[in-house]
Amino acid sequence: MFCYWQYITSTLSISLYNTTDQASEGFSKAQLLTGSLNGTYNIVCFVVAFALVPLALKIGAKGVHFFALILGGIGVFSIPYLNDTTLLFHLYNPFGESIEITTLFLYPVGLGIAWASMLAMPYQLLAGSIPKEKTGVYMGIFNMFIVIPMAIQVLSMQFFVYDWLGQNPVNVIRLAGIFLIIGGVLTLLIKLKNKNELVT
């Protein structure tokens, strides 16, 4: 997600408008589009969040997180291959002209589902895997493993990974999608006492 937040505008600017010039009209359009797409995935996240608990009760938190990360990874990886010209449908707008929904708006659906799961399921998986008397300690350690990788990403991406990827934001987005998919697969390795038990 950190890679996505950092490089999505540049990726859209290149893949849709073939420019990296931040003063260009294409880059300005990419900035506006980023706002719409991010708003879309957050709306999807909000709606999907209500379905996570019943889904987790049915197939388990591990299953939910696996499928969510796979969908998110596919969505993010597909960003460079989508466009804002192929129309899917028109969305009714009570305040004016209808809103055109293009293929580019497919990826926020997957990303929104993944984001909803990321905000809830890891804590559920952890809570179901640790001794109750040590919950505070393990939650603290878990939060460290959110922040530390972000710091590593900032340093590694800036100083050598970005060069290794050809200094191309599109490749960073593809890598982010791949890592989401890998994260989903690794979720299957988590051992739980009861896969359908929700810890409150």
Side-chain angles (χ1 to χ4, degrees):
M1 288 302 292
F2 215 40
C3 289
Y4 169 83
W5 293 326
Q6 289 176 313
Y7 292 97
I8 181 59
T9 300
S10 298
T11 296
L12 293 175
S13 179
I14 293 170
S15 64
L16 298 179
Y17 308 111
N18 199 29
T19 182
T20 56
D21 182 4
Q22 296 186 8
S24 67
E25 182 183 356
F27 195 87
S28 296
K29 288 181 178 178
Q31 287 178 311
L32 292 173
L33 198 51
T34 297
S36 297
L37 293 164
N38 286 349
T40 302
Y41 93 70
N42 277 294
I43 290 171
V44 171
C45 171
F46 174 78
V47 173
V48 168
F50 292 102
L52 288 183
V53 172
L55 266 176
L57 286 170
K58 189 170 180 119
I59 65 172
K62 185 163 71 170
V64 169
H65 203 49
F66 166 74
F67 285 114
L69 291 185
I70 295 296
L71 288 174
I74 292 171
V76 171
F77 186 85
S78 69
I79 291 172
Y81 307 103
L82 302 174
N83 64 68
D84 65 341
T85 55
T86 304
L87 187 65
L88 293 175
F89 58 89
H90 285 86
L91 192 64
Y92 172 70
N93 180 11
F95 305 105
E97 295 182 6
S98 61
I99 302 169
E100 293 184 346
I101 304 299
T102 62
T103 56
L104 189 62
F105 281 85
L106 290 173
Y107 93 80
V109 175
L111 186 59
I113 293 170
W115 187 232
S117 183
M118 281 187 260
L119 293 175
M121 291 300 109
Y123 293 95
Q124 181 60 45
L125 289 167
L126 178 65
S129 305
I130 59 175
K132 289 186 178 180
E133 63 273 10
K134 294 185 178 179
T135 298
V137 174
Y138 281 99
M139 286 295 181
I141 294 171
F142 177 76
N143 284 323
M144 287 170 56
F145 280 91
I146 295 173
V147 176
I148 292 173
M150 291 173 73
I152 293 172
Q153 187 270 356
V154 169
L155 295 173
S156 63
M157 186 62 68
Q158 182 178 357
F159 293 112
F160 65 90
V161 175
Y162 191 63
D163 291 334
W164 177 65
L165 293 172
Q167 297 187 348
N168 188 343
V170 174
N171 291 334
V172 177
I173 290 296
R174 288 192 186 110
L175 183 65
I178 290 169
F179 275 125
L180 277 173
I181 292 170
I182 291 172
V185 173
L186 291 177
T187 300
L188 298 177
L189 301 179
I190 299 172
K191 294 180 180 178
L192 297 174
K193 297 173 185 175
N194 184 346
K195 71 169 188 174
N196 293 337
E197 181 183 358
L198 291 186
V199 180
T200 57

